[in-house]
Amino acid sequence: MKISGGLQEDGIVVGNAYDKYGSKNPVVRWLMKGFADALSSLVIKVKPETIHEIGCGEGYWVLDWNQQGIKARGSDFSEKVIGLAHENAKNRGISPSIFAARSIYDIEPGHDSADLIVCCEVLEHLERPEAGLAALQRVATDYVILSVPREPIWCALNLARGKYLTSLGNTPGHIQHWSAKTFIDLVGHYFDIVEVKTPLPWTMLLCRVKH
């Protein structure tokens, strides 16, 4: 699977700077298994027929869900990273048309709606995360899954492995930082929170549209 590897677009780091899905490092593999198990359990709980992943990056999860028989599609603001998603789709014999370049701020009700909206590892990159959540609120029809790095654990783990020392462990492109509590409090203004999962070092929420 092609990964951006630190590509930048308009001065912003896009996609995955590091191939966390293909890593042979046992610690990274253990962490990613925790994330994958948490996300998969929430998707299974929802039983969606359609999924739209907003901020899909190179398309890892969208392609996986399609291979499971779920009608999934993805969008990302980066033309470059969507180009990689197109290549990854073709390499798996899946139509690249399931991926589109679109900012979270530009998603539209109806056109971008689905049974389940997934937005993982996106909000920490946004200058206006509240506007991003409001956009998700507009397109969501039922369930939403959100995840962000859990701070200060995320930065501490980066420091422990000797990464991003000059920025005190902050991953390039992360401009928002939330503890589990502060993220739950923020999201609670926009959605009803159904379930909280905390696979190290993330906070992951299953939400429903407020009625």
Side-chain angles (χ1 to χ4, degrees), residues 1-185:
M1 175 154 178
K2 294 191 175 182
I3 297 293
S4 72
L7 273 176
Q8 291 195 16
E9 188 165 328
D10 298 329
I12 300 171
V13 177
V14 298
N16 288 288
Y18 170 67
D19 186 5
K20 57 191 178 186
Y21 301 113
S23 175
K24 291 181 170 48
N25 182 300
V27 176
V28 174
R29 290 173 69 88
W30 177 75
L31 292 173
M32 289 310 301
K33 183 179 186 302
F35 181 93
D37 288 350
L39 179 58
S40 296
S41 71
L42 295 180
V43 172
I44 289 168
K45 184 171 187 172
V46 172
K47 297 182 177 66
E49 292 185 6
T50 59
I51 299 176
H52 182 180
E53 184 181 11
I54 295 165
C56 65
E58 302 91 345
Y60 178 89
W61 284 108
V62 171
L63 296 174
D64 187 65
W65 291 321
N66 272 277
Q67 291 184 317
Q68 292 177 37
I70 302 172
K71 188 177 180 182
R73 58 195 167 116
S75 59
D76 197 289
F77 89 96
S78 169
E79 296 274 1
K80 290 181 180 179
V81 85
I82 287 297
L84 293 174
H86 286 165
E87 291 186 54
N88 290 330
K90 289 176 185 176
N91 290 338
R92 294 205 197 179
I94 295 173
S95 171
S97 65
I98 62 173
F99 294 108
R102 186 177 301 111
S103 165
I104 188 174
Y105 302 123
D106 297 330
I107 55 178
E108 300 174 355
H111 184 274
D112 292 303
S113 298
D115 296 339
L116 171 62
I117 300 293
V118 175
C119 187
C120 292
E121 310 308 285
V122 173
L123 295 170
E124 68 271 18
H125 296 275
L126 301 183
E127 292 184 358
R128 297 181 291 132
E130 293 85 358
L133 285 166
L136 296 174
Q137 189 182 48
R138 288 193 296 272
V139 303
T141 58
D142 199 356
Y143 285 100
V144 178
I145 295 174
L146 305 168
S147 77
V148 295
R150 188 160 80 253
E151 298 292 4
I153 296 172
W154 181 275
C155 286
L157 288 175
N158 277 337
L159 288 173
R161 65 192 185 98
K163 295 292 186 181
Y164 316 127
L165 299 179
T166 59
S167 58
L168 301 179
N170 188 58
T171 300
H174 289 195
I175 59 177
Q176 306 293 341
H177 305 87
W178 294 284
S179 66
K181 182 182 185 305
T182 57
F183 188 60
I184 290 166
D185 288 346

